[in-house]
Amino acid sequence: MPHTAIPPYSSLADAGGATGIEETVNSVVNPLTEAVSALIFAEVTVLGVAFPWIVAWLVVAGTVFTCYFGVIQLRGFRHAVGLVRASSRRTGDAGDPGEVTPFRALTAAVSGTVGLGNIAGVAVAVTVGGPGATFWMVLCGLLGMAIKFVECTLAVKYREVDEDGTVRGGPLQYLRRGLADRGLGRFGRMLAPLFAVVIVFFAVIGGNMFQINQTLAQLRGVTGGDDGWMAGTGASLGFGIVASVLIAVVLLGGMKVIGAVTARLVPTMAAIYIVACLVVISANADAVPTAIGLIVQSAFSPTGVTGGAIGVMIIGFQRAAFSNEAGLGSAPMAHAAVKTRHPVTEGFVAMLGPFIDTVIVCTMTALTIVIASPQSWIAAREAAEKGEAVPDGVTLTSDAFATVLPWFPYVLTVAVVLFAFSTIITWSYYGEQGWADLFGRSRTSLTVYKLLVSACAVIGSLLTLGAVLDLADALLFVLALFNVIGLYLMAPVVKKELTDYRTHLRSRSRPQPQPQDSEIG
């Protein structure tokens, strides 16, 4: 969920009240941002096409785990859906350790990944890479399912449950305990604190401040822009305070409240957005076969895209890898709180996250744009082919919907607000786990963190701090470096858990021997 989309909005800076603060902070942070970004997003060249090595790192991991576990994302898909459907109708089996049902763990994790990137980032991908980028996004999403299976199984396997029932799990636990079981305890103790520092920083900056700023920019756009009632500093501050209070209320309730909130928000926001997509697609039903054919054809025989088919593939892979967060180690923190006695069951459930985020939501966005083909997108495609700058993705997506739904910007605003709020509370929970790892789990320590997160929501409504946000984006993918190394080393542990679970299922399906009369007494 890196930040891409709506142009940032800084109320105080626009008014001149904080220009100095913005410039000072950005000038101090910018050298570090440039150095980290140059390292993390350094490009490698394949067949004349350059792309960030971190994307290849994640795609290769997805491919390796797909092969190692026998295409588990396809063979285990039906079982994963069955586990979620069953859990949505009950609160969990009595006595199972954990805090939330698989359904609520899934919605919490999905709420951290489904966001404006699915709306804006996808629009940019199908503009720069053409319709064929959609095909490669879907493929990368399927590979990401295998990574989620591994990391979320490990999260439950090595989680820790406090006396009050609070669950802690994810890379902070399995990098330490899991690697220790593999004889690499010192290596794990080195990786875990680094992971904690990075995830706290991103949770506070990218997962909180930027989401508030994006949401405010969208609200400002649909209420009259610079002349509207949301343009003033007072409105921005009021919005930040309200958001801060709502965030604090949810965070103080812990994972159970977060799970309950996201269990309602995620289906709602997904339904709103997907229904809108279906309206546009239905209105152009005769164009659907042609659009699908164009997507497949353009994936292998594109026109006007640098690098040809390889270039399109890289653009699609990059968008999907940045969207579903598979391999970053964030989602396992939510999945670790699940009520289950079998870690691998949550691995199955977690696979549905990239499927929902990338295969469904991203594909719906792409298909809507390709089918509607608004004039702005056609013009943007021509600009991209000439190497010129393209409009921001939100505009392109909104224009696609406006071909059928002229009032769609208001629907998009509702979706943005829901996406942003669910992302904030989920990433704040992830950051809390890192904070607790660094500073302890005392009530005072956790309260300080929650107050910090809430205060940053107010700051995000007033300031942009672009260099800081760019640094947070770059550091987010440092998590993938730490996490995937651990996943490779602990893959045999997951394999054993899968074998044991299959043995358990087979034993349950066998008919039980009937007791003898003498045993009945």
Side-chain angles (χ1 to χ4, degrees):
M1 185 211 54
H3 77 270
T4 57
I6 298 173
Y9 169 58
S10 178
S11 175
L12 286 183
D14 290 347
T19 302
I21 296 176
E22 293 259 1
E23 292 180 350
T24 300
V25 172
N26 286 335
S27 64
V28 171
V29 175
N30 198 57
L32 178 60
T33 299
E34 291 180 351
V36 175
S37 296
L39 175 63
I40 298 302
F41 299 121
E43 295 185 335
V44 295
T45 303
V46 176
L47 299 178
V49 180
F51 63 98
W53 69 267
I54 193 68
V55 175
W57 175 255
L58 292 170
V59 172
V60 169
T63 304
V64 169
F65 293 135
T66 294
C67 297
Y68 186 71
F69 291 99
V71 200
I72 191 70
Q73 60 267 64
L74 299 183
R75 294 169 58 226
F77 186 84
R78 182 177 179 182
H79 185 61
V81 173
L83 289 170
V84 173
R85 290 180 61 187
S87 71
S88 66
R89 296 192 294 267
R90 54 185 172 82
T91 58
D93 294 333
D96 280 357
E99 297 184 82
V100 297
T101 64
F103 174 73
R104 291 191 172 185
L106 177 64
T107 56
V110 169
S111 71
T113 59
V114 175
L116 211 53
N118 300 79
I119 300 172
V122 172
V124 173
V126 297
T127 299
V128 177
T134 308
F135 178 90
W136 298 111
M137 278 191 289
V138 171
L139 179 59
C140 190
L142 294 173
L143 294 177
M145 292 171 70
I147 302 178
K148 283 284 179 77
F149 172 78
V150 177
E151 60 185 353
C152 293
T153 298
L154 290 171
V156 179
K157 167 73 175 176
Y158 292 106
R159 67 183 176 179
E160 299 170 355
V161 183
D162 295 336
E163 292 182 359
D164 62 357
T166 301
V167 175
R168 289 176 286 119
L172 297 172
Q173 283 68 39
Y174 61 67
L175 288 176
R176 282 197 181 94
R177 298 176 58 199
L179 290 180
D181 287 350
R182 307 289 293 172
L184 298 168
R186 180 175 297 181
F187 186 49
R189 289 192 298 272
M190 178 189 73
L191 290 180
L194 295 174
F195 188 97
V197 170
V198 174
I199 203 161
V200 169
F201 183 75
F202 185 83
V204 173
I205 305 299
N208 182 343
M209 289 174 59
F210 182 74
Q211 297 299 317
I212 292 293
N213 196 278
Q214 269 191 329
T215 304
L216 187 57
Q218 180 68 14
L219 287 171
R220 185 190 187 199
V222 298
T223 55
D226 293 337
D227 299 323
W229 63 273
M230 286 294 294
T233 300
S236 300
L237 180 61
F239 175 81
I241 292 173
V242 171
S244 175
V245 171
L246 292 174
I247 292 166
V249 168
V250 176
L251 291 183
L252 290 171
M255 184 58 194
K256 290 182 179 178
V257 173
I258 292 173
V261 171
T262 56
R264 291 169 174 79
L265 276 183
V266 170
T268 300
M269 67 187 187
I272 290 174
Y273 189 70
I274 291 174
V275 166
C277 289
L278 290 175
V279 169
V280 176
I281 293 171
S282 299
N284 299 275
D286 56 336
V288 172
T290 302
I292 294 176
L294 181 62
I295 287 172
V296 175
Q297 178 185 355
S298 300
F300 301 96
S301 303
T303 57
V305 179
T306 303
I310 299 296
V312 175
M313 179 180 69
I314 290 169
I315 291 170
F317 278 177
Q318 181 170 301
R319 178 62 258 159
F322 286 5
S323 175
N324 61 47
E325 297 178 15
L328 301 188
S330 51
M333 294 181 172
H335 286 284
V338 71
K339 293 182 178 180
T340 184
R341 294 185 181 277
H342 303 283
V344 80
T345 60
E346 196 58 19
F348 280 111
V349 171
M351 292 194 307
L352 299 178
F355 183 82
I356 295 169
D357 175 273
T358 307
V359 178
I360 295 180
V361 179
C362 287
T363 301
M364 293 294 283
T365 300
L367 198 58
T368 299
I369 294 172
V370 172
I371 288 176
S373 293
Q375 189 58 44
S376 59
W377 181 63
I378 295 173
R381 286 279 294 127
E382 294 174 352
E385 291 175 4
K386 298 175 183 177
E388 300 174 357
V390 300
D392 68 88
V394 173
T395 300
L396 298 175
T397 306
S398 185
D399 288 348
F401 283 98
T403 60
V404 176
L405 307 170
W407 38 265
F408 180 75
Y410 298 101
V411 176
L412 182 60
T413 300
V414 173
V416 167
V417 172
L418 294 178
F419 285 155
F421 186 69
S422 63
T423 296
I424 290 169
I425 60 177
T426 300
W427 267 97
S428 297
Y429 174 75
Y430 297 159
E432 180 181 332
Q433 306 311 301
W435 179 278
D437 192 79
L438 296 170
F439 303 108
R441 300 192 63 82
S442 69
R443 178 174 296 181
T444 300
S445 173
L446 296 183
T447 300
V448 168
Y449 170 78
K450 291 168 183 176
L451 291 175
L452 173 64
V453 169
S454 299
C456 284
V458 178
I459 296 173
S461 69
L462 300 173
L463 299 175
T464 303
L465 302 177
V468 179
L469 291 168
D470 290 340
L471 177 61
D473 264 6
L475 287 176
L476 177 65
F477 287 93
V478 174
L479 300 180
L481 183 61
F482 300 152
N483 187 51
V484 172
I485 290 174
L487 300 185
Y488 280 134
L489 294 172
M490 290 180 280
V493 176
V494 180
K495 175 82 83 167
K496 183 179 183 303
E497 287 291 328
L498 180 59
T499 300
D500 292 346
Y501 180 64
R502 285 171 172 165
T503 301
H504 167 72
L505 291 180
R506 284 194 294 268
S507 67
R508 289 179 56 187
S509 63
R510 293 194 192 105
Q512 298 298 314
Q514 295 299 316
Q516 302 298 317
D517 291 341
S518 59
E519 293 177 335
I520 298 176

